[in-house]
Amino acid sequence: MKVVLKDGSPLEVGDDASVYDVAEQIGAGLARAALAGEVNGQAVDLRTKVPADSEIAILTFDDEYGQDAFHHSSSHLLAQAVKRLYPDAKLAIGPAIDQGFYYDIEFARPLSDSDLEKIEAEMQKIVKADLPIEKFTLPRAEAIDFYKKQGEIYKVELIEDLPADAEISFYKQGEFTDLCAGPHIKSTGQIKAFKLTSLAGAYWRGDEHNTMLTRIYGTSFPKKKQLEEHLARLEEAKKRDHRKIGREMGLFMTHDAGPGFPFFLPNGMVLKNSLIEYWRELHDREGYKEIESPIILSRKLWEESGHWDHYKDNMYTTVIDEEDYAIKPMNCPGAMLVFSNRLRSYRDLPLRLAELGRVHRPELSGALHGLMRVRAFTQDDAHIFMLPEQMIDEITGVIRLIDEVYTKFGFKYQVELSTRPQEFLGEIADWDRAEENLKEALAAMDLDYKINAGDGAFYGPKIDFQVEDSLGRTWQCGTIQLDFQMPIRFDTEYTGRDGEKHRPIVIHRVVYGSIERFIGILIEHYAGNFPLWLAPQQVVLIPVNKEAHGPACYQMQAELDSIGARASVDDRDESLGKKIRDAQMQKISCQLVIGDRELEGRTVTVRRYGEKEKIPYGWDEFKAWLQEQISQRLDDQAGKR
């Protein structure tokens, strides 16, 4: 029979061929690297028989679903080792995650790092045994009985939530069997390199009223070298942890008085305001008008927007004058009210309304993480109201703006198109049209993208931008959401050329996303060594002798202040060495030691943070260089329409 390969070429295979047989027929090297397959777009085991005329892809560790199968099989490897060492442990769930896996397990006693070493040793034995991984199914009632006999209460609960007529799939390796939909790799021997990385607590099903389980995190790779490189990146990530650097540089703090509500310190406010100033310059150039909407708005408004029905669990609510109100989780309804504040004409469009809106969303306490996951943050939001014929130009204009910002910070990025979710507002025809418009705009910008099916907002499809930092990690930041629904719900109108009333189309978009989160990403991306224009402390002047050189340092500080530089003088009664070390710890961009020689020759020797070489400048030359570096914040007319 014939099948079609990923590149579109046909291949003749045997009538009983499996995905693995196809891989072998293509080449022995591919067969060795194969981890899973894809048949007509669905991820499957290598053992899966292929139907005639089906589209086949062989998945390796370079493919997302190939990695998922490998990591998911690694979680089963972990669970098997745990059950051998701790027979009374009760297994919950063990999914693949980005760059690894975890398993939630109930233990009779807390685990320690020494337990992880024992589990790793047992996992290694299972790998060496090269146990085949085999799939089988049972009817729901038999599956429940299977786990009840073993006392696996969490597995029983998972199966009981499935339909009564469901057939339940399992994967078996040696004496160990786990409930799983798959796919999985062929055998345990393929997991050549792994490491259990950490322990954490996790409530069963994320509900704080349920049992606290032990979550064991791990990572795994087909080759030892890949694991070593990954662990080296993790060590580097620890050094770059934005919480650690934030403390050292005096950027932000957290407090039990407000979990998930970060406090920005003076240096952090300099950093945040520098980002906002840059944002405002860009948006002024691009013709945006800045607005501000209230933080608290009535329930009626949120019902009108659809958020009360579709997003209420992500909103803080309150009561004012015996009426329900909500603290806004997003800014869109306020922008809709601003647009409708007066009569609008087609001549007013496109109207680009930008807002640095403070929003609040309740996050589980266990999910809070520095600036990366908070309960209050600032969205660099904008809503563009436009005519249908302006849509492609406006979308591509936002894409150019996002590209300019990410390029400024040295970020590469990936693009995803998220389509209609299961719960949505409006007509399917409008959704289909919106998705096609976004595809057309991406094609116009010649951008590669992947489809993220079903992950659109409830009111429209969207383009998401995943930025990649210096460690290769990706973060979802920018988004462009195309909305035909909100104007209908708010009865938003403009007067067209024909004198009749029409509904505008709306783009919802952010560039930074959450400014707080973006700062956290920048801290780790640069390891605190920010570009000079962004650095909270740009220059420190360190007098060799406080009495002899201190007054001159303050005069030099005044000159630097006058050109817009952020400078300070360290005239503490400490040794010169300690002052230099402290300046390094605080990651001050330029450190200048001032003594007799510098004052007599009007020169400075600049020690840049993170660089070994010290650079001599004439004083006026240094000021000119510094001013030029600071002014590079906004490239001249870059991307201007």
Side-chain angles (χ1 to χ4, degrees), residues 537-543 553-554 557 560-561 565-571 586 588 590 592:
Q537 299 185 76
Q538 293 167 333
V539 182
V540 61
L541 298 145
I542 305 174
C553 286
Y554 281 105
Q557 180 193 17
L560 294 176
D561 288 346
R566 294 187 281 273
S568 62
V569 177
D570 186 352
D571 61 358
Q586 295 168 42
I588 300 176
C590 299
L592 282 57

